Amino acid sequence: MKKTNKQSRARTPRVLKESKFSPLSIEIIKKLKKSGFQGYLVGGCIRDLLSGITPKDFDISTNATPEEVRKIFKSSRIIGKRFRLVHVFSRNELIEVSTFRANISRDENNSEVLKDSAGKILRDNVWGTLEEDCIRRDFSVNALYFDPLQNILYDFHNGLEHIQKKVLVSIGDPQLRFEEDPVRSLRAIRFSSKLNFKISNDVKEAIYKKGHLLGNISNARMFDEFCKIFLTKQALENFKKLNSFGVLKYLINTREYNEHTFDLKFQHAALINTDNRLKASKSVTPGFLIAALLWPKLMDASKEKGNLNLRKFFRSMDGTIREQQVLTAVPRKFHSYIKDIWSLQLKLETRLGHQPYKILNHPRFRAAYDFLLLREEAAKDKQGIGDWWTQFQKINRPGKIELLKRLKESRSGPVEKKFGFLEELS
Ligand code: ATP
Ligand code: MG
């Protein structure tokens, strides 16, 4: 039986009463109400606060249509086609205001709800009530609505109880919900890592059964999701879970792991490195991570009889990125960054003549050096090249000359034959 508005009122936890919400979000809700509309804080911000996490942004839900919201707020813009909503902004903040959606099954013929033959929702713009809006949200913990002016929490799907029990529960049959929008399976994995929640059994089953539908999602949306999954401090955990659910292949173009222990070790090292950098508030770029995640694929395309074929190596770079583009739309600005890191791996190893001086000044030197250290970390046959560069950076000019002299003396035979850890090319 559907809960009425009154029944769905939950006892408001103290944390919400005492929370400091973003001033812009409060201002928006006040203005909406003044204009005769409803306005609630909803989704991730309420869920995170109740789980003891600082929210990264504040989303608002209202019964005002996007056009009505747009009229109320001077600094606002309507965005989206599949899912139209309004961005209301101040100088340093942006709030998403979305209009209540109706349960789409109510009106199958409405042109504002469009599904493809696999059941995927292509357009979802039928306005509804608060109760209806709850039903189309993905998980119970994401369907909590809070009125910060009256301190009232609305909970139609036991979201509060599920937060306490630390479990991710789908609203409605998860297999149908994942057909409507396959990205929900990635969201389930992402939230379980972020919140440290269990995934309920029926949701797990739905990921196994409907995961393949991720192949139908646009590469632009997949790239957005890629960034949320891998650039928000739980990259390693998400990677492992995605792999165990068999859906990693929809995000990363990689080779089978069972035969290549190096690949997994190296990718794990890069993911841990990303997580650690974020935890230390250092910058991260999807470019670096993508370069690392695709490295095994590039090695695969460049090898010849267990050695590196230089011509293949350079020729395969664009192709490797292009194959990844089919899955996730990696912005063009990262392409040359990724290729620079890859090409520099060769130069960092060969260190011919006076090249090391030039390499030190290369704008991507630091990234390429970090990349090399991660490769060494994952390799069985350490070659000490990372250490050599650590020393070469630190030491004074006479020291540098001496290091290069010793390197030259220690060499015999063609340099390119020695490239790489053999495991990478096996
Ligand atoms: P975070 O912002 O931390 O990633 P979030 O839950 O706020 O998490 P958003 O993508 O900002 O995620 O979406 C806001 C809310 O909109 C969600 O909490 C959920 O209620 C609803 N929502 C978002 N995407 C979907 C979806 N694909 N299917 C159903 N509901 C969704
Ligand atoms: Mg959000």
Side-chain angles (χ1 to χ4, degrees):
M1 208 178 68
K2 220 166 96 179
K3 288 182 186 177
T4 65
N5 217 333
K6 218 168 189 175
Q7 283 173 316
S8 64
R9 267 194 200 185
R11 234 194 48 192
T12 307
R14 249 185 47 208
V15 58
L16 288 184
K17 289 186 195 161
E18 291 168 2
S19 282
K20 283 212 169 48
F21 295 101
S22 91
L24 179 62
S25 70
I26 301 293
E27 194 190 312
I28 293 172
I29 291 176
K30 277 187 186 160
K31 275 199 181 168
L32 283 169
K33 287 197 166 187
K34 227 171 125 189
S35 307
F37 298 108
Q38 302 169 45
Y40 302 93
L41 287 162
V42 66
C45 62
I46 302 302
R47 175 202 68 212
D48 289 355
L49 280 169
L50 291 170
S51 315
I53 296 173
T54 309
K56 73 171 169 42
D57 49 33
F58 295 87
D59 298 321
I60 289 176
S61 201
T62 178
N63 59 345
T65 64
E67 288 73 20
E68 286 166 336
V69 176
R70 172 77 192 86
K71 266 191 207 148
I72 299 172
F73 301 98
K74 243 199 273 158
S75 303
S76 68
R77 158 174 75 226
I78 298 179
I79 62 144
K81 191 170 170 198
R82 191 181 66 88
F83 193 92
R84 287 174 67 221
L85 50 84
V86 187
H87 277 169
V88 180
F89 38 90
S90 65
R91 209 168 340 129
N92 46 18
E93 209 184 345
L94 183 148
I95 304 265
E96 279 190 4
V97 181
S98 60
T99 306
F100 295 150
R101 256 70 180 174
N103 181 359
I104 46 107
S105 60
R106 191 181 70 175
D107 194 356
E108 294 282 355
N109 297 323
N110 192 309
S111 68
E112 288 304 307
V113 176
L114 203 65
K115 284 188 178 185
D116 70 4
S117 57
K120 189 176 82 172
I121 296 177
L122 302 175
R123 205 186 299 147
D124 182 6
N125 290 319
V126 173
W127 316 137
T129 61
L130 170 61
E131 287 85 343
E132 287 172 320
D133 192 69
C134 281
I135 297 170
R136 63 100 196 157
R137 293 195 178 256
D138 45 7
F139 303 104
S140 64
V141 297
N142 284 344
L144 290 159
Y145 295 67
F146 183 58
D147 178 338
L149 307 182
Q150 299 193 71
N151 274 328
I152 299 174
L153 180 70
Y154 294 94
D155 178 8
F156 291 85
H157 297 278
N158 305 321
L160 200 52
E161 182 193 326
H162 296 150
I163 287 179
Q164 276 148 10
K165 289 189 176 156
K166 289 177 156 286
V167 60
L168 211 64
V169 175
S170 164
I171 295 177
D173 175 0
Q175 298 203 24
L176 279 178
R177 302 305 312 279
F178 290 6
E179 277 174 14
E180 284 174 6
D181 182 3
V183 171
R184 288 173 185 150
S185 59
L186 298 180
R187 288 172 60 85
I189 292 171
R190 178 160 67 84
F191 292 137
S192 80
S193 304
K194 173 176 174 168
L195 303 163
N196 197 16
F197 280 16
K198 280 212 256 342
I199 301 178
S200 67
N201 286 337
D202 59 343
V203 171
K204 277 189 191 161
E205 200 188 332
I207 303 177
Y208 286 121
K209 290 230 167 98
K210 303 293 171 183
H212 65 277
L213 296 173
L214 285 164
N216 303 333
I217 300 297
S218 79
N219 60 353
R221 191 157 175 232
M222 289 297 271
F223 182 71
D224 286 347
E225 209 49 41
F226 177 98
C227 292
K228 289 184 188 171
I229 289 172
F230 292 118
L231 301 176
T232 51
K233 299 185 195 167
Q234 282 93 26
L236 179 67
E237 196 177 339
N238 280 328
F239 182 91
K240 286 182 179 169
K241 286 184 187 168
L242 289 162
N243 202 14
S244 78
F245 277 111
V247 291
L248 187 64
K249 59 175 183 274
Y250 299 103
L251 283 166
I252 301 159
N253 173 29
T254 198
R255 56 181 175 186
E256 290 291 323
Y257 289 113
N258 15 13
E259 297 147 45
H260 301 275
T261 48
F262 172 86
D263 294 5
L264 211 52
K265 272 201 206 158
F266 173 59
Q267 289 174 329
H268 281 191
L271 294 158
I272 292 169
N273 180 260
T274 305
D275 286 343
N276 288 343
R277 286 186 68 90
L278 284 166
K279 285 174 196 160
S281 304
K282 290 187 190 164
S283 66
V284 292
T285 142
F288 185 87
L289 195 59
I290 291 169
L293 295 174
L294 297 185
W295 180 251
K297 227 10 202 197
L298 180 66
M299 287 295 98
D300 210 32
S302 319
K303 68 184 180 191
E304 197 171 82
K305 295 185 194 129
N307 269 316
L308 184 86
N309 179 314
L310 278 181
R311 210 165 44 104
K312 280 191 182 175
F313 177 77
F314 286 108
R315 276 201 184 162
S316 307
M317 285 189 192
D318 282 317
T320 306
I321 296 177
R322 224 178 298 123
E323 279 171 30
Q324 179 63 27
Q325 280 300 90
V326 177
L327 302 177
T328 65
V330 182
R332 285 214 78 80
K333 64 178 174 196
F334 296 122
H335 295 196
S336 61
Y337 177 92
I338 293 170
K339 288 192 276 184
D340 277 351
I341 291 184
W342 288 344
S343 327
L344 279 167
Q345 296 309 300
L346 290 187
K347 292 189 177 157
L348 288 174
E349 261 185 79
T350 50
R351 295 162 284 171
L352 293 174
H354 287 278
Q355 263 186 8
Y357 295 109
K358 269 201 217 151
I359 296 171
L360 273 188
N361 292 322
H362 192 289
R364 308 272 182 251
F365 166 73
R366 188 68 217 191
Y369 163 72
D370 285 347
F371 196 96
L372 172 69
L373 293 184
L374 293 174
R375 284 174 56 219
E376 284 202 336
E377 196 183 316
K380 270 191 242 125
D381 56 343
K382 318 261 183 241
Q383 297 183 18
I385 301 166
D387 281 348
W388 189 92
W389 277 101
T390 309
Q391 245 191 318
F392 191 71
Q393 285 173 77
K394 278 195 219 144
I395 211 162
N396 58 15
R397 180 84 187 181
K400 282 187 170 63
I401 295 170
E402 182 58 30
L403 272 179
L404 285 172
K405 196 173 133 221
R406 265 192 268 151
L407 182 69
K408 200 170 169 197
E409 286 163 5
S410 71
R411 278 211 170 115
S412 58
V415 190
E416 65 180 67
K417 282 267 183 271
K418 290 205 176 70
F419 172 81
F421 310 113
L422 293 178
E423 302 152 78
E424 291 175 315
L425 294 161
S426 63

